[in-house]
Each structure stands twice: as structure tokens, then as C-alpha cells.
Coordinates of all heavy atoms in Angstrom, one line a residue:
M23 N 11.6 25.0 -7.2 CA 13.0 24.7 -6.8 C 13.9 25.5 -7.6 O 13.7 25.7 -8.8 CB 13.2 23.2 -7.2 CG 14.6 22.8 -6.8 SD 15.1 21.1 -7.3 CE 13.8 20.1 -6.8
K24 N 15.0 26.0 -7.0 CA 15.9 26.9 -7.7 C 17.1 26.1 -8.1 O 17.7 25.3 -7.4 CB 16.4 28.0 -6.7 CG 17.3 29.0 -7.3 CD 17.6 30.1 -6.3 CE 18.6 31.1 -6.9 NZ 19.0 32.1 -6.0
Q25 N 17.5 26.3 -9.4 CA 18.7 25.6 -9.9 C 19.9 26.5 -9.9 O 19.8 27.7 -10.4 CB 18.4 25.2 -11.4 CG 19.5 24.4 -12.0 CD 19.2 23.9 -13.4 OE1 18.1 24.1 -13.9 NE2 20.2 23.3 -14.0
V26 N 20.9 26.1 -9.2 CA 22.1 26.9 -9.0 C 23.2 26.8 -10.1 O 23.9 27.7 -10.4 CB 22.7 26.6 -7.6 CG1 23.9 27.5 -7.4 CG2 21.7 26.9 -6.5
G27 N 23.3 25.7 -10.7 CA 24.3 25.4 -11.7 C 23.8 24.5 -12.8 O 22.6 24.0 -12.7
R28 N 24.6 24.2 -13.7 CA 24.2 23.2 -14.7 C 25.4 22.3 -14.9 O 26.5 22.8 -15.3 CB 23.8 23.9 -16.0 CG 23.5 22.9 -17.1 CD 22.8 23.5 -18.2 NE 21.6 24.1 -17.7 CZ 20.7 24.7 -18.4 NH1 20.8 24.8 -19.7 NH2 19.6 25.2 -17.9
R29 N 25.2 21.0 -14.8 CA 26.3 20.1 -15.0 C 26.2 19.6 -16.4 O 25.1 19.2 -16.9 CB 26.1 18.9 -14.0 CG 27.1 17.8 -14.2 CD 27.0 16.8 -13.2 NE 27.9 15.7 -13.5 CZ 28.0 14.6 -12.8 NH1 27.3 14.4 -11.7 NH2 28.8 13.7 -13.1
I30 N 27.3 19.6 -17.1 CA 27.3 19.2 -18.5 C 27.9 17.7 -18.5 O 29.0 17.5 -18.1 CB 28.2 20.1 -19.3 CG1 27.6 21.5 -19.3 CG2 28.3 19.6 -20.7 CD1 28.5 22.5 -20.0
E31 N 27.0 16.8 -18.8 CA 27.5 15.4 -18.9 C 28.4 15.2 -20.1 O 28.1 15.6 -21.2 CB 26.3 14.5 -19.0 CG 25.4 14.5 -17.7 CD 26.1 13.8 -16.5 OE1 26.9 12.9 -16.8 OE2 25.7 14.2 -15.4
P32 N 29.5 14.5 -19.9 CA 30.3 14.2 -21.0 C 29.6 13.2 -22.0 O 28.9 12.3 -21.5 CB 31.6 13.6 -20.4 CG 31.2 13.1 -19.1 CD 30.0 14.0 -18.7
P33 N 29.9 13.3 -23.2 CA 29.2 12.4 -24.2 C 29.8 11.0 -24.1 O 31.0 10.8 -23.8 CB 29.5 13.0 -25.6 CG 30.8 13.8 -25.3 CD 30.7 14.3 -23.9
L34 N 29.0 10.0 -24.3 CA 29.4 8.6 -24.4 C 30.1 8.4 -25.7 O 29.4 8.6 -26.8 CB 28.3 7.7 -24.1 CG 27.7 7.7 -22.7 CD1 26.5 6.8 -22.6 CD2 28.7 7.4 -21.7
L35 N 31.3 7.9 -25.7 CA 32.0 7.7 -26.9 C 32.2 6.2 -27.2 O 32.4 5.4 -26.2 CB 33.4 8.4 -26.9 CG 33.3 9.9 -26.6 CD1 34.7 10.4 -26.4 CD2 32.6 10.6 -27.7
A36 N 32.3 5.8 -28.4 CA 32.6 4.4 -28.8 C 34.1 4.1 -28.6 O 34.4 3.0 -28.3 CB 32.2 4.2 -30.2
E37 N 34.9 5.1 -28.7 CA 36.4 4.9 -28.5 C 36.8 5.6 -27.2 O 36.3 6.7 -26.9 CB 37.1 5.6 -29.7 CG 36.6 5.2 -31.0 CD 37.6 4.2 -31.7 OE1 38.7 4.2 -31.3 OE2 37.1 3.4 -32.5
P38 N 37.7 5.0 -26.5 CA 38.2 5.6 -25.2 C 39.0 6.9 -25.5 O 39.6 7.0 -26.6 CB 39.0 4.5 -24.6 CG 39.4 3.6 -25.7 CD 38.3 3.7 -26.7
S39 N 39.1 7.8 -24.6 CA 39.9 9.0 -24.8 C 40.8 9.2 -23.6 O 40.5 8.8 -22.5 CB 39.0 10.2 -25.0 OG 38.4 10.6 -23.8
G40 N 41.9 9.8 -23.8 CA 42.8 10.1 -22.8 C 42.3 11.1 -21.8 O 42.6 11.1 -20.6
A41 N 41.5 12.1 -22.3 CA 40.9 13.1 -21.4 C 40.0 12.5 -20.4 O 39.9 12.8 -19.2 CB 40.2 14.2 -22.2
A42 N 39.2 11.5 -20.9 CA 38.2 10.8 -20.0 C 39.0 10.0 -18.9 O 38.6 10.0 -17.8 CB 37.3 9.9 -20.8
L43 N 40.1 9.4 -19.4 CA 40.9 8.6 -18.4 C 41.5 9.6 -17.4 O 41.5 9.2 -16.2 CB 42.0 7.9 -19.2 CG 43.0 7.1 -18.3 CD1 42.2 6.0 -17.5 CD2 44.0 6.5 -19.1
A44 N 42.0 10.7 -17.8 CA 42.6 11.7 -16.9 C 41.5 12.2 -15.9 O 41.8 12.3 -14.7 CB 43.2 12.8 -17.6
D45 N 40.3 12.4 -16.4 CA 39.3 12.9 -15.5 C 38.9 11.8 -14.5 O 38.7 12.1 -13.3 CB 38.0 13.2 -16.3 CG 38.2 14.5 -17.1 OD1 39.1 15.3 -16.8 OD2 37.4 14.7 -18.0
G46 N 38.9 10.6 -14.9 CA 38.6 9.5 -14.0 C 39.7 9.3 -12.9 O 39.4 9.1 -11.7
L47 N 40.9 9.4 -13.3 CA 42.0 9.3 -12.4 C 42.0 10.5 -11.4 O 42.2 10.3 -10.2 CB 43.3 9.3 -13.1 CG 43.6 8.0 -13.9 CD1 44.9 8.1 -14.7 CD2 43.7 6.8 -13.0
A48 N 41.7 11.7 -11.8 CA 41.6 12.8 -10.9 C 40.5 12.6 -9.9 O 40.6 12.9 -8.7 CB 41.4 14.1 -11.7
F49 N 39.3 12.1 -10.4 CA 38.2 11.8 -9.5 C 38.6 10.8 -8.4 O 38.3 11.0 -7.2 CB 37.0 11.4 -10.2 CG 35.8 11.0 -9.4 CD1 35.1 12.0 -8.7 CD2 35.5 9.7 -9.2 CE1 34.0 11.7 -7.9 CE2 34.4 9.3 -8.4 CZ 33.7 10.3 -7.7
S50 N 39.2 9.7 -8.9 CA 39.6 8.6 -7.9 C 40.6 9.2 -6.9 O 40.6 8.8 -5.7 CB 40.3 7.5 -8.7 OG 39.3 6.9 -9.5
A51 N 41.6 10.0 -7.3 CA 42.6 10.6 -6.4 C 41.9 11.5 -5.4 O 42.3 11.4 -4.2 CB 43.6 11.3 -7.2
S52 N 40.9 12.2 -5.8 CA 40.2 13.1 -4.8 C 39.4 12.3 -3.8 O 39.4 12.7 -2.7 CB 39.4 14.2 -5.6 OG 38.3 13.5 -6.3
V53 N 38.8 11.3 -4.3 CA 38.0 10.4 -3.4 C 38.9 9.7 -2.4 O 38.7 9.6 -1.2 CB 37.1 9.4 -4.1 CG1 36.6 8.4 -3.2 CG2 36.0 10.1 -4.9
A54 N 40.1 9.2 -2.9 CA 41.0 8.6 -2.0 C 41.6 9.5 -1.0 O 41.9 9.1 0.2 CB 42.2 7.9 -2.8
G55 N 41.7 10.8 -1.3 CA 42.3 11.8 -0.4 C 41.3 12.2 0.7 O 41.8 12.8 1.7
L56 N 40.1 11.9 0.6 CA 39.1 12.2 1.6 C 39.5 11.6 3.0 O 39.4 12.3 4.0 CB 37.7 11.8 1.2 CG 37.1 12.6 0.1 CD1 35.7 12.0 -0.3 CD2 36.9 14.1 0.5
A57 N 40.0 10.4 3.0 CA 40.3 9.7 4.2 C 41.8 9.8 4.4 O 42.3 9.1 5.3 CB 39.8 8.3 4.2
G58 N 42.5 10.5 3.7 CA 44.0 10.6 3.8 C 44.7 9.3 3.4 O 45.8 9.0 3.8
G59 N 44.1 8.6 2.5 CA 44.7 7.3 2.0 C 44.5 6.2 2.9 O 45.0 5.1 2.7
R60 N 43.7 6.4 4.0 CA 43.5 5.3 5.0 C 42.2 4.6 4.7 O 41.2 5.2 4.2 CB 43.5 5.9 6.4 CG 44.8 6.5 6.8 CD 44.7 7.2 8.1 NE 46.0 7.8 8.5 CZ 46.4 8.9 8.1 NH1 45.8 9.6 7.2 NH2 47.6 9.4 8.5
V61 N 42.1 3.4 5.1 CA 40.9 2.6 4.9 C 40.4 2.3 6.3 O 41.1 1.8 7.2 CB 41.2 1.3 4.1 CG1 39.9 0.4 4.0 CG2 41.7 1.6 2.8
F62 N 39.1 2.6 6.5 CA 38.5 2.4 7.8 C 37.9 1.0 8.0 O 37.8 0.5 9.1 CB 37.4 3.4 8.1 CG 37.9 4.8 8.2 CD1 37.0 5.8 7.9 CD2 39.1 5.1 8.7 CE1 37.4 7.2 8.1 CE2 39.5 6.4 8.8 CZ 38.7 7.4 8.5
F63 N 37.7 0.3 6.9 CA 37.0 -1.0 7.0 C 38.0 -2.1 6.5 O 38.6 -2.0 5.5 CB 35.8 -1.0 6.1 CG 34.8 0.1 6.4 CD1 34.7 1.2 5.7 CD2 34.0 0.0 7.6 CE1 33.9 2.2 6.0 CE2 33.1 1.0 7.9 CZ 33.1 2.1 7.2
P64 N 38.1 -3.2 7.3 CA 39.0 -4.2 6.9 C 38.6 -5.0 5.7 O 37.4 -5.0 5.4 CB 39.0 -5.1 8.2 CG 37.7 -4.9 8.8 CD 37.4 -3.4 8.5
K65 N 39.5 -5.5 5.0 CA 39.2 -6.3 3.8 C 38.7 -7.6 4.2 O 39.0 -8.2 5.3 CB 40.4 -6.5 2.9 CG 40.9 -5.2 2.2 CD 42.0 -5.5 1.3 CE 42.5 -4.3 0.6 NZ 43.6 -4.5 -0.3
G66 N 37.9 -8.2 3.3 CA 37.4 -9.6 3.6 C 35.9 -9.7 3.4 O 35.2 -8.7 3.1
V67 N 35.5 -10.9 3.6 CA 34.0 -11.2 3.4 C 33.5 -11.4 4.8 O 34.1 -12.3 5.6 CB 33.8 -12.4 2.5 CG1 32.3 -12.8 2.5 CG2 34.3 -12.2 1.2
F68 N 32.5 -10.7 5.2 CA 31.9 -10.9 6.5 C 30.5 -11.4 6.4 O 29.7 -10.9 5.5 CB 31.9 -9.5 7.3 CG 33.3 -9.0 7.5 CD1 33.9 -8.1 6.6 CD2 34.1 -9.4 8.6 CE1 35.2 -7.6 6.7 CE2 35.4 -8.9 8.8 CZ 35.9 -8.0 7.8
R69 N 30.1 -12.2 7.3 CA 28.7 -12.8 7.3 C 28.1 -12.4 8.7 O 28.7 -12.6 9.7 CB 28.7 -14.3 7.1 CG 29.1 -14.7 5.7 CD 28.9 -16.2 5.5 NE 29.0 -16.5 4.1 CZ 30.1 -16.6 3.4 NH1 31.3 -16.3 4.0 NH2 30.1 -16.9 2.1
Y70 N 26.9 -11.8 8.6 CA 26.3 -11.3 9.8 C 24.9 -12.1 10.0 O 24.3 -12.4 9.0 CB 26.1 -9.8 9.8 CG 27.3 -9.1 9.6 CD1 27.7 -8.6 8.3 CD2 28.2 -8.8 10.6 CE1 28.8 -7.8 8.1 CE2 29.4 -8.1 10.4 CZ 29.7 -7.6 9.2 OH 30.8 -6.9 9.0
K71 N 24.5 -12.2 11.2 CA 23.2 -12.8 11.5 C 22.1 -11.9 11.3 O 21.0 -12.3 11.0 CB 23.2 -13.3 12.9 CG 24.2 -14.5 13.2 CD 24.2 -14.9 14.6 CE 25.2 -16.0 14.8 NZ 25.3 -16.4 16.2
S72 N 22.4 -10.6 11.3 CA 21.3 -9.6 11.2 C 21.8 -8.3 10.6 O 23.1 -8.1 10.6 CB 20.6 -9.3 12.5 OG 21.5 -8.7 13.4
H73 N 21.0 -7.5 10.1 CA 21.4 -6.1 9.7 C 21.9 -5.3 10.8 O 22.8 -4.5 10.7 CB 20.2 -5.4 9.0 CG 19.9 -6.0 7.7 ND1 20.7 -5.8 6.6 CD2 18.8 -6.7 7.2 CE1 20.1 -6.4 5.5 NE2 19.0 -7.0 5.9
A74 N 21.3 -5.5 12.0 CA 21.8 -4.7 13.2 C 23.2 -5.1 13.5 O 24.0 -4.2 13.9 CB 20.9 -5.0 14.4
E75 N 23.6 -6.3 13.4 CA 25.0 -6.8 13.7 C 25.9 -6.2 12.6 O 27.0 -5.7 13.0 CB 25.0 -8.3 13.7 CG 26.4 -8.8 14.0 CD 26.5 -10.3 14.0 OE1 25.4 -11.0 13.9 OE2 27.6 -10.9 14.1
A76 N 25.5 -6.1 11.4 CA 26.3 -5.5 10.3 C 26.5 -4.0 10.6 O 27.6 -3.5 10.4 CB 25.7 -5.8 9.0
N77 N 25.4 -3.4 10.9 CA 25.5 -1.9 11.2 C 26.4 -1.6 12.4 O 27.1 -0.6 12.4 CB 24.1 -1.4 11.4 CG 23.3 -1.4 10.1 OD1 23.8 -1.5 9.0 ND2 22.0 -1.3 10.3
A78 N 26.3 -2.5 13.4 CA 27.2 -2.3 14.6 C 28.6 -2.4 14.2 O 29.5 -1.7 14.7 CB 26.8 -3.3 15.7
H79 N 29.0 -3.4 13.4 CA 30.3 -3.6 12.9 C 30.8 -2.4 12.1 O 31.9 -2.0 12.3 CB 30.5 -4.9 12.2 CG 31.9 -5.2 11.7 ND1 32.2 -5.3 10.4 CD2 33.0 -5.4 12.4 CE1 33.5 -5.6 10.3 NE2 34.0 -5.6 11.5
Q80 N 30.0 -2.0 11.2 CA 30.3 -0.8 10.4 C 30.6 0.4 11.3 O 31.6 1.1 11.1 CB 29.2 -0.5 9.4 CG 29.5 0.7 8.5 CD 28.4 1.0 7.6 OE1 27.2 0.7 7.8 NE2 28.6 1.8 6.5
A81 N 29.7 0.7 12.2 CA 29.9 1.8 13.1 C 31.2 1.7 14.0 O 31.9 2.7 14.1 CB 28.7 2.0 14.0
A82 N 31.5 0.5 14.4 CA 32.7 0.3 15.2 C 33.9 0.5 14.4 O 34.9 1.2 14.8 CB 32.7 -1.1 15.8
C83 N 34.0 0.0 13.2 CA 35.1 0.2 12.3 C 35.3 1.7 11.9 O 36.4 2.2 11.9 CB 35.0 -0.6 11.0 SG 35.1 -2.4 11.2
L84 N 34.2 2.4 11.7 CA 34.3 3.8 11.3 C 34.8 4.6 12.5 O 35.6 5.5 12.4 CB 32.9 4.3 10.9 CG 32.8 5.7 10.5 CD1 33.7 6.0 9.3 CD2 31.4 6.1 10.1
A85 N 34.3 4.3 13.7 CA 34.7 5.0 14.9 C 36.2 4.8 15.2 O 36.9 5.7 15.5 CB 33.9 4.6 16.1
E86 N 36.6 3.6 15.1 CA 38.0 3.2 15.3 C 38.9 3.9 14.2 O 40.0 4.5 14.6 CB 38.2 1.7 15.2 CG 39.7 1.3 15.4 CD 39.8 -0.2 15.3 OE1 38.9 -0.9 15.5 OE2 41.0 -0.6 15.0
G87 N 38.5 3.9 13.0 CA 39.3 4.6 11.9 C 39.3 6.1 12.1 O 40.4 6.7 11.9
M88 N 38.2 6.7 12.5 CA 38.2 8.1 12.7 C 39.1 8.5 13.9 O 39.8 9.6 13.9 CB 36.8 8.6 12.9 CG 36.0 8.6 11.6 SD 34.2 9.0 11.8 CE 34.4 10.7 12.2
A89 N 39.1 7.7 15.0 CA 39.9 8.0 16.1 C 41.4 7.9 15.7 O 42.2 8.7 16.1 CB 39.6 7.0 17.2
R90 N 41.7 6.9 14.9 CA 43.1 6.7 14.5 C 43.5 7.9 13.6 O 44.7 8.4 13.8 CB 43.2 5.4 13.7 CG 44.6 5.0 13.4 CD 44.7 3.6 12.7 NE 43.7 2.7 13.0 CZ 42.8 2.2 12.1 NH1 43.0 2.5 10.8 NH2 41.9 1.3 12.4
L91 N 42.7 8.3 12.7 CA 43.0 9.5 11.9 C 43.2 10.7 12.7 O 44.1 11.5 12.5 CB 41.8 9.7 10.9 CG 42.0 10.8 9.8 CD1 43.2 10.5 9.0 CD2 40.7 10.9 9.0
A92 N 42.3 11.0 13.7 CA 42.5 12.1 14.6 C 43.7 12.1 15.4 O 44.4 13.1 15.5 CB 41.2 12.3 15.5
R93 N 44.1 10.9 15.9 CA 45.3 10.7 16.6 C 46.5 11.0 15.7 O 47.5 11.7 16.2 CB 45.4 9.3 17.2 CG 46.5 9.1 18.1 CD 46.5 7.7 18.8 NE 46.2 6.6 17.8 CZ 45.2 5.8 17.8 NH1 44.2 6.0 18.7 NH2 45.0 4.9 16.9
D94 N 46.5 10.5 14.5 CA 47.6 10.8 13.6 C 47.8 12.2 13.2 O 48.9 12.8 13.1 CB 47.5 9.9 12.3 CG 47.6 8.4 12.6 OD1 48.1 8.1 13.7 OD2 47.3 7.6 11.7
R95 N 46.7 12.9 13.1 CA 46.7 14.3 12.7 C 47.2 15.2 13.9 O 47.8 16.2 13.7 CB 45.3 14.8 12.3 CG 44.9 14.3 10.9 CD 43.6 14.8 10.5 NE 43.3 14.3 9.1 CZ 42.1 14.5 8.6 NH1 41.1 15.0 9.2 NH2 41.9 14.0 7.3
R96 N 46.9 14.8 15.1 CA 47.3 15.5 16.3 C 48.8 15.4 16.4 O 49.5 16.3 16.9 CB 46.6 14.9 17.5 CG 46.1 16.0 18.4 CD 45.4 15.5 19.6 NE 44.3 14.5 19.3 CZ 44.2 13.4 19.9 NH1 45.0 13.1 20.9 NH2 43.3 12.5 19.6
R97 N 49.4 14.2 16.1 CA 50.8 14.0 16.2 C 51.6 14.8 15.2 O 52.8 15.0 15.4 CB 51.1 12.5 16.1 CG 50.6 11.7 17.3 CD 51.0 10.3 17.1 NE 50.5 9.5 18.2 CZ 50.4 8.2 18.2 NH1 50.8 7.5 17.2 NH2 49.8 7.6 19.2
G98 N 51.0 15.2 14.2 CA 51.6 16.0 13.2 C 52.0 15.4 12.0 O 52.6 15.6 11.1

């Protein structure tokens, strides 16, 4: 296996640091930006009779959210 890069893990510190907080906030902001700040899945607790039913609900929510996102991007 070929290794392309090397990730340097930050050290675990007993005291919090501002740099670590800034890194965490930057990561959270980049993840939130992936969907344009939109949430595809509704909030709440859902109970399903089977895994298949849960997967179907997840797929339906994702498809609806992606369609909404595409429609909003088309409008400008």
C-alpha cells in the first residue's frame, strides 16, 4: 500500500487551548457548508417497524432535500 501523506495528530492536552477551539469551529463550519446550511432530515424521534422502513424514510428525506437544494441553486 502506498502512503501519500502523513497526518499529524494534535496532542491531547489537560488544559483547553484557543487554537484547538478555533480548529474545531473551522471544521464544524466546513461540515455545515457541505449542505449549504440546510438540513435534509427532520428533527424528532422516529420509531420504525423495521430497518427497511427506516432506510426508506432516510432515502425519501435525502431525495427531497437534494431536490430542494437543486431547485434553490437553479433559481440563483
Side-chain angles (χ1 to χ4, degrees):
M23 180 186 313
K24 182 177 180 181
Q25 184 176 357
V26 178
R28 180 167 297 185
R29 180 178 172 177
I30 300 172
E31 293 290 332
L34 295 175
L35 304 173
E37 307 257 339
S39 71
L43 178 61
D45 289 344
L47 290 174
F49 176 74
S50 294
S52 64
V53 169
L56 290 175
R60 293 171 181 84
V61 177
F62 293 153
F63 304 101
K65 289 184 177 182
V67 175
F68 298 92
R69 289 184 169 77
Y70 303 102
K71 294 179 182 176
S72 66
H73 287 287
E75 186 181 350
N77 292 342
H79 181 242
Q80 180 184 20
C83 289
L84 183 61
E86 181 182 334
M88 290 175 69
R90 193 177 329 121
L91 183 62
R93 185 174 50 245
D94 292 347
R95 286 181 178 170
R96 228 180 307 133
R97 290 183 184 163

